[in-house]
């Protein structure tokens, strides 16, 4: 189906004038006018087209989407405030709901249904326009892109405007989900059914009768090693002994090949992208190279209406695959082998049913291998413990496996796989095939599967990893969908949500990622508290229990502002006399606040002379039955001192002794050589005193710091008094030495001049 027809069929009538004008853009490209093929494409034509697509069409769609998103958020907030107003008080929780309350809840639910339906239409609107812009940009580059390519700039522009992104809908849908839950519980409608798939953060899967919750993330190559080491601290790496030894590079991480099925109309792809009910996918999967005769598994994955996925699979030999796909082989030999082995009738019948259903699915849909996904998998799991299963896929490559072009098929129509790849044992990055037939995924894929157990919380380290800056959430990512969207864009009319995220840098600043997560948790906790107030029985405390981290900005901004706001509201509800009972007559509250500026308590916040603070300090007593601890908790347990700490203290002592010996040697030398010089003797004694001071200080601090180490003191080890005292004394001695020497030199000079004068002019002659 051509995209123009698909776009016309997907138009939401109330918004019909706000869609991309695809026909106009095609006309500007002269797509359907053969008489204009000989007319050259000029610079003015290029400018007009770029101005139309970027400044008119893209701006129109972006503004409208932003307007609708803002409107939906405002409507959701208004509905949420109504829900808060209808929350029963503590005294009214035991009373039956009145008809008025029930009617208001039903009215509110109708409003939520309207918002929900509009959210779904907005999602379709965003997806259709996103695909339209990429399609028309590709047409331009193919037909008129001899000098300019607009598709790369278009992808960046779409990413900047948030088109087709999951992040734009997740907070809104989470709030809608909470409100639906509260209303349905109050209306006694039993187990509630979600109006739409509101859980954007995980998927549920069933393996061997056990339920798992799956979470998917992208990992930037710069963060891959850090993520692996973070996981290895808690889970060991799983070694694939059977196939790992057959890898040519000897790597323990096996290379996995998945061969996905679809038909020429890509119906399976369309169902998965649109998230239709009972969406299914089919693939062949094996480990290592095909020439090593690995176990091949044919598996069908079905996503049911409730969001839970189920797998049906069985093993098949490569020589029977083509016959099975064509419907000529119904696994008779495997069934006969099971009967010879004496397996139970139930197991045989279950195998027949599974094989028959998968074969009927292939024949009915006319499926054939269409896409190959090749990747290296690293798995982490504790032996005999499947509560936490983690896998990281790297070196992900998607390769065309279709026969859509009958003249130049990628795969021999008589074969079920590409022999040029499997016979040649090609590996990543697959440089020996046509590069237009391969697409390499730029990131690693992290998948975390947690077993659902009643009342059991997920491990803390797993939650920390999932919300860290090291990973980028991609809850709906599918290798099959991404491979088809990357390699068969001309054959499909819908593109997945996450493609726009590929144009952005998924790396995050650690502090920014932490702050955003704390804000999100705080907002969810507040929303959940409102829902819990309807349920009673401690549900509010359970649903809204959230304690911000010490370094979280939430504790400083969001929750503190909310507490301050609640305090102001409570203060406003009190009578004026109760509010201003501590204020002198004639004074306003603002005057009291202004008068506190510049006081002792404002300079030293921990010190206050108020009556409350004095009374609190006087009655600071421990509760009854609690005794003051004699030993701090940090001092409990055996003493363990690092050698570098002990040696650093001794090294400092040796430095002081070095100074002491140096000054002492200088002082003794000066005193010995002084002779009849009284000044030299005094300075020698002064330097001896300074040397003794340095030695005593070093010895004293050695023992003091040793005691601090033994006591595990939290005080600072540095002390500036000794170095300053020794330096000041030495400087003073040098200055005094210079002054006294200067004065003595001038005295000798004056005496010498006097003697010379007397010799030249004797006193007797002058008389």
């Amino acid at each position: 189906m051509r995209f123009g027809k698909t776009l016309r069929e997907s138009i939401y009538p109330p918004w019909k004038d706000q869609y991309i004008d695809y026909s106009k853009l095609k006309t500007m490209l002269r797509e359907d006018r053969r008489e204009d093929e000989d007319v050259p494409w000029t610079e003015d034509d290029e400018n007009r087209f770029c101005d139309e697509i970027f400044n008119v069409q893209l701006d129109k769609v972006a503004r409208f989407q932003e307007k609708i998103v803002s409107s939906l958020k405002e409507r959701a907030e208004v509905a949420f405030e109504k829900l808060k107003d209808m929350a029963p008080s503590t005294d009214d929780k035991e009373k039956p709901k009145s008809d008025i309350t029930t009617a208001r809840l039903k009215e509110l639910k109708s409003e939520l249904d309207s918002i929900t339906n509009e959210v779904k239409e907005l999602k379709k609107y965003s997806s259709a326009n996103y695909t339209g812009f990429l399609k028309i940009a590709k047409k331009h580059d193919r037909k008129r892109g001899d000098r300019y390519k607009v598709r790369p700039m278009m992808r960046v522009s779409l990413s900047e405007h948030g088109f087709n992104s999951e992040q734009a809908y997740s907070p809104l849908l989470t709030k809608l989900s909470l409100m639906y839950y509260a209303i349905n519980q109050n209306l006694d409608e039993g187990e509630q059914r979600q109006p739409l798939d509101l859980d954007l953060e995980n998927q549920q899967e069933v393996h061997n009768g056990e339920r798992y919750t799956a979470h998917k993330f992208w990992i930037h190559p710069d963060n891959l090693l850090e993520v692996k080491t973070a996981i290895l601290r808690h889970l060991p790496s799983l070694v694939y002994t059977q196939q790992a030894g057959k890898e040519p590079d000897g790597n323990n991480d096996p290379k996995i090949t998945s061969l996905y099925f679809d038909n020429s109309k890509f119906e399976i792809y369309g169902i998965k992208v649109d998230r239709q009910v009972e969406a299914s996918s089919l693939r062949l999967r094996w480990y290592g190279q095909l020439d090593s005769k690995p176990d091949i598994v044919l598996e069908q994955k079905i996503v049911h209406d409730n969001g839970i996925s189920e797998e049906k699979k069985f093993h098949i030999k490569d020589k029977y695959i083509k016959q099975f796909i064509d419907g000529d082989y119904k696994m008779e030999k495997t069934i006969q082998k099971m009967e010879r082995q004496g397996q139970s009738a139930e197991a045989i019948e279950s195998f027949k049913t599974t094989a028959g259903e998968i074969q009927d699915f292939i024949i009915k849909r006319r499926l054939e291998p269409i896409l190959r996904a090749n990747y290296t998998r690293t798995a982490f799991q504790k032996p005999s413990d499947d509560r936490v299963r983690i896998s990281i896929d790297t070196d992900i490559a998607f390769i065309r496996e279709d026969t859509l072009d009958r003249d130049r098929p990628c795969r021999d129509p008589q074969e079920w796989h590409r022999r040029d790849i499997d016979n040649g044992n090609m590996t990543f990055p697959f440089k020996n095939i046509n590069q237009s037939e391969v697409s390499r995924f730029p990131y690693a894929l992290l998948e975390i599967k947690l077993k659902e157990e009643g009342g059991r919380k997920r491990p803390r380290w797993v939650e920390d990893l999932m919300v860290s800056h090291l990973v980028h959430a991609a809850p709906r990512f599918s290798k099959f969908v991404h491979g088809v969207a990357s390699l068969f864009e001309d054959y499909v009319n819908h593109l997945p949500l996450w493609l726009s995220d590929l144009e952005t840098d998924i790396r995050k600043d650690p502090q920014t990622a932490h702050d955003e997560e704390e804000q999100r948790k705080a907002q969810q906790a507040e929303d959940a508290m409102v829902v819990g107030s309807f349920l009673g029985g401690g549900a509010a405390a359970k649903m809204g229990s959230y304690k911000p981290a010490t370094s979280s900005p939430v504790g400083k901004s969001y929750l503190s502002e909310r507490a301050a706001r609640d305090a102001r509201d409570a203060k406003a509800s009190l009578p004026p006399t109760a509010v201003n009972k501590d204020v002198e007559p004639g004074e306003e509250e603002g005057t009291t606040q202004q008068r506190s500026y510049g006081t002792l308590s404002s300079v030293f916040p921990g010190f206050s002379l108020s009556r409350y603070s004095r009374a609190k300090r006087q009655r600071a007593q421990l509760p009854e039955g609690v005794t003051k601890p004699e030993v701090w908790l940090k001092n409990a347990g055996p003493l363990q001192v690092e050698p570098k700490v002990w040696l650093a203290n001794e090294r400092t002592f040796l430095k002081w002794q070095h100074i002491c010996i140096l000054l002492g040697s200088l002082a003794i030398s000066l005193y010995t050589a002084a002779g009849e010089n009284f000044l030299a003797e005094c300075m020698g004694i002064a330097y001896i005193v300074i040397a003794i001071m340095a030695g005593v200080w070093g010895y004293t601090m050695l023992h003091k710091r040793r005691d601090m180490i033994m006591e595990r003191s939290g005080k600072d080890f540095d002390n500036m008094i000794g170095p300053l005292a020794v330096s000041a004394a030495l400087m003073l001695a040098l200055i005094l030495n210079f002054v006294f020497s200067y004065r003595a030199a001038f005295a000798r000079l004056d005496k010498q001049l006097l003697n010379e004068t007397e010799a030249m002019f004797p006193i007797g002659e002058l008389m």
Side-chain angles (χ1 to χ4, degrees):
M1 183 185 296
R2 298 176 65 88
F3 177 75
K5 183 178 180 181
T6 303
L7 179 62
R8 289 192 297 271
E9 292 177 353
S10 62
I11 287 179
Y12 183 49
W15 302 343
K16 62 180 180 179
D17 297 330
Q18 304 299 330
Y19 285 79
I20 177 178
D21 196 340
Y22 194 74
S23 300
K24 180 179 181 180
L25 294 172
K26 284 181 63 178
T27 302
M28 296 182 69
L29 286 177
R30 307 169 193 166
E31 177 75 12
D32 300 326
R33 293 187 297 177
R34 295 188 177 183
E35 63 273 10
D36 294 338
E37 289 183 356
D38 297 333
V39 179
W41 182 260
T42 64
E43 190 78 19
D44 293 337
D45 295 331
E46 182 72 25
N47 292 335
R48 280 195 297 270
F49 177 81
C50 291
D51 181 69
E52 179 67 26
I53 191 173
F54 286 105
N55 299 332
V56 179
Q57 299 295 330
L58 182 59
D59 186 69
K60 175 185 70 174
V61 175
R63 287 179 180 274
F64 181 75
Q65 178 176 273
E66 183 179 356
K67 174 185 174 182
I68 296 299
V69 170
S70 300
S71 174
L72 291 174
K73 288 182 178 180
E74 290 178 2
R75 292 171 61 187
E77 287 296 333
V78 171
F80 194 72
E81 292 298 326
K82 292 181 180 179
L83 192 64
K84 291 171 64 176
D85 295 339
M86 286 188 284
S89 62
T90 306
D91 299 333
D92 297 338
K93 285 185 177 180
E94 302 299 330
K95 298 180 181 180
K97 295 186 293 292
S98 63
D99 295 338
I100 298 178
T101 303
T102 303
R104 292 177 63 189
L105 287 175
K106 290 183 177 180
E107 180 182 353
L108 185 58
K109 185 177 180 181
S110 299
E111 174 64 16
L112 295 184
D113 290 338
S114 175
I115 298 175
T116 298
N117 293 331
E118 197 159 331
V119 169
K120 291 195 292 185
E121 295 298 335
L122 181 61
K123 170 61 186 66
K124 295 178 182 178
Y125 171 87
S126 178
S127 178
N129 285 284
Y130 178 81
T131 306
F133 282 116
L134 290 181
K135 289 274 188 182
I136 199 65
K138 187 173 183 179
K139 285 181 180 294
H140 169 275
D141 293 354
R142 185 171 53 208
K143 189 176 181 66
R144 307 296 181 186
D146 296 335
R147 289 179 294 176
Y148 304 103
K149 303 289 185 183
V150 301
R151 183 177 170 86
M153 186 167 59
M154 175 58 69
R155 295 178 73 99
V156 173
S157 299
L158 291 173
S159 177
E160 291 176 350
H161 285 90
F163 273 93
N164 219 28
S165 175
E166 296 184 22
Q167 307 301 327
Y169 305 97
S170 181
L172 176 60
L173 296 182
T174 301
K175 178 164 288 190
L176 289 175
S177 178
L178 287 171
M179 288 190 284
Y180 268 113
Y181 178 73
I183 293 174
N184 289 337
Q185 290 294 326
N186 272 264
L187 292 178
D188 297 327
E189 295 185 358
E191 183 179 359
Q192 77 136 350
R193 179 179 181 271
Q194 299 286 5
L196 79 163
D197 190 4
L198 295 176
D199 191 0
L200 295 178
E201 299 182 357
N202 58 71
Q203 291 178 321
Q204 292 184 336
E205 299 181 358
V206 178
H207 298 281
N208 299 324
E210 300 285 350
R211 281 195 175 188
Y212 290 86
T213 303
H215 308 263
K216 296 180 181 179
F217 305 89
W218 293 348
I219 307 175
H220 194 277
D222 294 349
N223 299 329
L224 181 58
L225 181 60
E226 190 172 354
V227 172
K228 285 186 176 181
T229 54
I231 299 173
L232 284 172
R233 291 188 180 97
H234 306 276
L235 294 179
S237 178
L238 191 62
V239 179
Y240 294 82
T241 57
Q242 180 180 1
Q243 296 296 337
K246 299 180 181 180
E247 296 295 334
D249 55 1
N251 189 2
N252 288 331
D253 297 334
K255 294 176 175 57
I256 302 178
T257 301
S258 295
L259 211 60
Y260 292 97
F261 287 70
D262 209 334
N263 52 32
S264 58
K265 296 181 179 180
F266 290 92
E267 294 179 357
I268 302 298
Y269 169 85
I271 292 174
K272 288 186 69 67
V273 170
D274 295 338
R275 302 180 189 177
Q276 298 180 18
V277 179
E278 303 297 329
S280 300
S281 61
L282 186 69
R283 69 174 178 177
L284 287 163
R285 177 174 54 85
W286 67 87
Y287 292 82
Q289 299 294 339
L290 195 60
D291 61 357
S292 61
K293 302 299 180 182
D295 293 334
I296 302 177
V297 180
L298 179 60
E299 56 186 17
Q300 180 186 14
K301 188 174 183 179
I302 305 173
V303 181
H304 297 289
D305 188 21
N306 56 4
I308 299 177
S309 63
E310 178 186 2
E311 286 187 355
K312 298 179 181 180
K313 59 184 179 181
F314 62 89
H315 289 78
I316 185 172
K317 293 184 177 181
D318 58 347
K319 60 182 178 181
Y320 298 129
I321 293 178
K322 181 62 177 175
Q323 302 176 36
F324 183 83
I325 294 174
D326 296 338
D328 300 331
Y329 176 68
K330 301 185 180 298
M331 305 300 294
E332 294 90 346
K333 293 187 178 182
T334 304
I335 295 173
Q336 293 173 5
K337 183 179 179 180
M338 295 175 67
E339 292 174 348
R340 289 196 305 268
Q341 293 175 347
Q343 297 191 24
S344 63
E346 291 81 1
I348 297 175
E349 186 62 30
S350 176
F351 179 82
K352 285 182 180 180
T353 303
T354 301
E357 290 178 351
I358 293 179
Q359 190 173 53
D360 292 341
F361 180 70
I362 294 174
I363 296 174
K364 180 181 178 181
R365 299 272 187 175
R366 297 180 180 179
L367 304 180
E368 60 181 14
I370 204 99
L371 175 72
R372 176 189 296 246
N374 185 273
Y375 47 93
T376 302
R377 170 160 293 182
T378 305
F380 304 89
Q381 181 182 335
K382 290 182 180 179
S384 304
D385 186 356
D386 59 352
R387 289 176 297 178
V388 181
R389 300 163 55 189
I390 298 179
S391 64
I392 297 179
D393 297 337
T394 55
D395 297 340
I396 305 175
F398 303 99
I399 305 172
R400 290 184 60 164
E401 199 90 9
D402 62 282
T403 59
L404 297 176
D405 188 350
R406 298 299 178 183
D407 297 330
R408 298 180 60 185
C410 298
R411 168 180 54 85
D412 185 355
Q414 303 303 320
E415 299 289 343
W416 63 271
H417 66 105
R418 289 184 61 162
R419 287 194 172 274
D420 58 335
I421 296 178
D422 295 322
N423 293 348
N425 291 333
M426 295 185 188
T427 57
F428 188 87
F430 299 96
K431 294 183 178 179
N432 297 330
I433 63 175
N434 188 345
Q435 294 303 296
S436 64
E437 299 173 359
V438 60
S439 173
R440 300 171 188 87
F441 190 64
Y443 306 122
L445 179 62
L446 169 68
E447 185 170 8
I448 301 176
K449 293 183 179 180
L450 304 173
K451 180 185 288 188
E452 293 186 0
E453 296 178 347
R456 182 181 179 86
K457 295 183 178 180
R458 65 182 63 168
R460 177 63 182 270
W461 68 270
V462 174
E463 286 206 4
D464 292 341
L465 176 62
M466 291 168 56
V467 301
S468 70
H469 68 285
L470 301 174
V471 297
H472 175 80
R476 295 297 177 182
F477 181 79
S478 166
K479 294 188 183 74
F480 166 64
V481 172
H482 183 83
V484 172
S486 302
L487 296 172
F488 300 92
E489 186 176 339
D490 292 338
Y491 295 86
V492 297
N493 292 328
H494 297 282
L495 298 177
L497 286 169
W498 57 81
L499 280 186
S500 59
D501 294 336
L502 290 176
E503 305 303 321
T504 61
D505 188 357
I506 65 172
R507 290 172 294 184
K508 310 171 188 174
D509 176 68
Q511 186 61 41
T512 303
H514 176 263
D515 295 347
E516 291 177 353
E517 180 61 22
E518 290 293 326
Q519 294 280 6
R520 185 185 68 86
K521 287 182 178 179
Q523 184 62 54
Q524 286 186 350
E526 183 186 19
D527 297 343
M529 280 288 276
V530 177
V531 175
S533 64
F534 282 86
L535 305 181
K542 295 178 181 178
M543 298 186 67
S545 59
Y546 165 68
K547 183 179 180 180
T550 305
S551 59
S552 170
V554 176
K556 307 171 188 176
S557 58
Y558 177 77
L559 294 181
S560 61
E561 290 176 2
R562 183 183 172 199
R565 184 173 63 251
D566 294 343
R568 288 195 300 268
D569 295 341
K571 194 172 183 179
S573 63
L574 295 175
T577 55
V579 176
N580 300 322
K581 63 181 181 180
D582 292 333
V583 181
E584 296 296 332
E587 292 188 15
E588 298 293 338
E589 183 180 359
T591 308
T592 307
Q593 293 178 355
Q594 293 177 1
R595 203 165 51 180
S596 65
Y597 176 77
T599 61
L600 186 62
S601 61
S602 66
V603 179
F604 300 100
F607 183 81
S608 176
L609 297 176
S610 65
R611 288 177 295 174
Y612 172 76
S613 299
R614 291 199 303 268
K616 185 177 181 181
R617 286 196 294 268
Q618 292 174 0
R619 63 171 183 268
Q621 299 178 357
L622 294 173
E624 185 178 357
V626 179
T627 59
K628 184 178 181 179
E630 298 179 357
V631 180
W632 290 100
L633 185 61
K634 66 182 181 65
N635 296 336
L639 177 64
Q640 295 180 353
V641 181
E642 295 187 17
K644 63 180 182 180
V645 177
W646 200 267
L647 294 176
N649 187 30
E650 292 186 351
R651 189 163 54 248
T652 306
F653 169 71
L654 294 176
K655 287 289 185 181
W656 277 109
Q657 299 312 304
H658 177 73
I659 295 174
C660 175
I661 294 173
L662 185 63
L663 289 176
S665 301
L666 175 65
I668 293 175
S669 300
L670 183 62
Y671 184 81
T672 304
E676 299 296 332
N677 191 337
F678 179 74
L679 177 61
E681 291 180 355
C682 294
M683 295 310 302
I685 295 173
Y687 288 136
I688 290 175
V689 173
I690 295 174
I692 295 174
M693 184 190 305
V696 172
W697 175 263
Y699 183 79
T700 303
M701 293 307 300
L702 170 69
H703 288 277
K704 182 177 180 180
R705 287 170 178 151
R706 182 178 295 176
D707 294 339
M708 293 173 65
I709 294 173
M710 299 294 291
E711 295 173 359
R712 301 168 178 170
S713 175
K715 299 179 181 179
D716 293 334
F717 283 83
D718 57 336
N719 195 321
M720 301 297 294
I721 298 177
L724 290 176
V726 173
S727 300
L730 187 60
M731 184 178 297
L732 180 62
L734 292 173
I735 293 174
L736 292 176
N737 189 9
F738 175 78
V739 172
F740 291 147
S741 299
Y742 180 82
R743 293 178 62 183
F746 269 91
R748 288 195 300 270
L749 182 61
D750 292 342
K751 186 176 181 180
Q752 183 179 359
L753 291 174
L754 181 61
N755 293 334
E756 291 177 354
T757 303
E758 290 179 352
M760 292 176 62
F761 304 101
I763 300 177
E765 294 181 359
L766 292 174
M767 295 178 63

